[in-house]
Amino acid sequence: SDVSSIVILADQDKPQDLLITPSILDVTLTCLNPTMTLTASSSTPNVTYLWNDDLNSTTQTISVNKSRIYQVAVTSLNGCTEMTDILVSDNKVLPQLSIRSTSDKLTCTTTSIQQTGVVSNESEVGTPIVYEWLDDPAMPQSRTITLPGIYSLRATAANGCVSESSMQITEDKVLPTVWIDLLTDTLTCNHPSILLTAKSDVPVTFEWDDLSVGDTYIATEARTYIIKGTALNGCEAQNDTTLQDA
């Protein structure tokens, strides 16, 4: 009798050496890089690809702009499939920028103000952080202000995200008006002293020429009396009056 046989070959090898590039250390979406290209590969030839992105892409390379796990199914000619995935993270945190200032008002005593830009969440957004004053980009992170105005600062973090903050600096260098009230300017035997009363159009601290303070002064000599008034803004003004003997 005749005997026949058949040899059945098994080919159940799955695709080998699956890889998604870039590496897992580099797959972070940022404000600077809001999109990223993922490329799948295999050492097995003639494979097909199927991604789990929104388009169910069948290309070897896809472009992504969302933070999620991306999975690719790689199928060889024998129909065997292997899968791999990668986590695309997201760092689009804005820098929390503020302007620290020694004051918000220029006065006769506060003639300059120090301003410094500060980002409170450096650990989240990454360093270095680039600070740029919009009125003068050449200015450093800390600067000295001598003129009133609105000062705006921009901070760009390492993740490419940008924030801006502004601060208004005002000015109050208005001088007070001071004067001396008195009933008479002549000392006599009947009136050997005269009450001098200092007045001002705004609240001030009064100081007389002998360094005594207060708004009243008992004058007993024929001479010129000088009063100085210092307002809350540090601005000073003075006035005088002269007494004579009869």
Side-chain angles (χ1 to χ4, degrees), residues 40 45 54 61 77 95 101 127 135 150 156 176 191 197 216 228 240:
D54 293 340
T61 297
L77 291 177
S101 183
T127 56
D135 65 301
I150 297 177
T156 304
H191 299 286
T197 302
T216 59
K228 180 178 70 175
D240 61 68

Side-chain angles (χ1 to χ4, degrees), residues 138-156:
M139 282 289 178
Q141 178 182 354
S142 295
R143 67 183 298 185
T144 299
I145 301 298
T146 57
L147 296 173
I150 297 177
Y151 293 88
S152 299
L153 178 63
R154 176 184 296 136
T156 304

Side-chain angles (χ1 to χ4, degrees), residues 34-45:
T35 63
M36 180 168 293
T37 298
L38 300 180
T39 301
S41 62
S42 170
S43 62
T44 301

Side-chain angles (χ1 to χ4, degrees), residues 53-220:
D53 62 345
D54 293 340
L55 301 176
N56 291 321
S57 301
T58 57
T59 54
Q60 185 176 0
T61 297
I62 63 171
S63 179
V64 300
N65 58 11
K66 296 179 182 178
S67 173
R68 53 174 284 190
I69 295 176
Y70 289 89
Q71 185 178 74
V72 60
V74 182
T75 304
S76 60
L77 291 177
N78 63 6
C80 294
T81 298
E82 186 68 291
M83 307 181 78
T84 187
D85 58 51
I86 192 169
L87 171 63
V88 174
S89 59
D90 187 303
N91 183 355
K92 296 179 182 178
V93 178
L94 297 177
Q96 296 177 6
L97 174 65
S98 62
I99 299 175
R100 292 180 182 173
S101 183
T102 54
S103 178
D104 61 359
K105 182 184 295 184
L106 294 164
T107 67
C108 290
T109 51
T110 303
T111 56
S112 64
I113 294 172
Q114 191 74 17
Q115 288 188 329
T116 303
V118 178
V119 169
S120 61
N121 60 337
E122 281 189 359
S123 60
E124 293 181 79
V125 298
T127 56
I129 295 173
V130 177
Y131 295 90
E132 181 183 11
W133 294 95
L134 301 190
D135 65 301
D136 189 351
M139 282 289 178
Q141 178 182 354
S142 295
R143 67 183 298 185
T144 299
I145 301 298
T146 57
L147 296 173
I150 297 177
Y151 293 88
S152 299
L153 178 63
R154 176 184 296 136
T156 304
N159 64 1
C161 298
V162 177
S163 291
E164 292 186 4
S165 181
S166 297
M167 184 174 188
Q168 182 172 12
I169 300 298
T170 60
E171 183 177 69
D172 179 8
K173 294 184 179 180
V174 178
L175 300 178
T177 299
V178 298
W179 65 94
I180 299 173
D181 273 354
L182 65 166
L183 294 177
T184 179
D185 62 359
T186 303
L187 294 166
T188 66
C189 293
N190 291 330
H191 299 286
S193 64
I194 296 175
L195 176 64
L196 306 180
T197 302
K199 298 290 184 67
S200 174
D201 61 339
V202 295
V204 297
T205 300
F206 289 111
E207 182 181 345
W208 298 88
D209 52 13
D210 64 355
L211 302 183
S212 62
V213 296
D215 60 350
T216 59
Y217 189 93
I218 304 297
T220 59

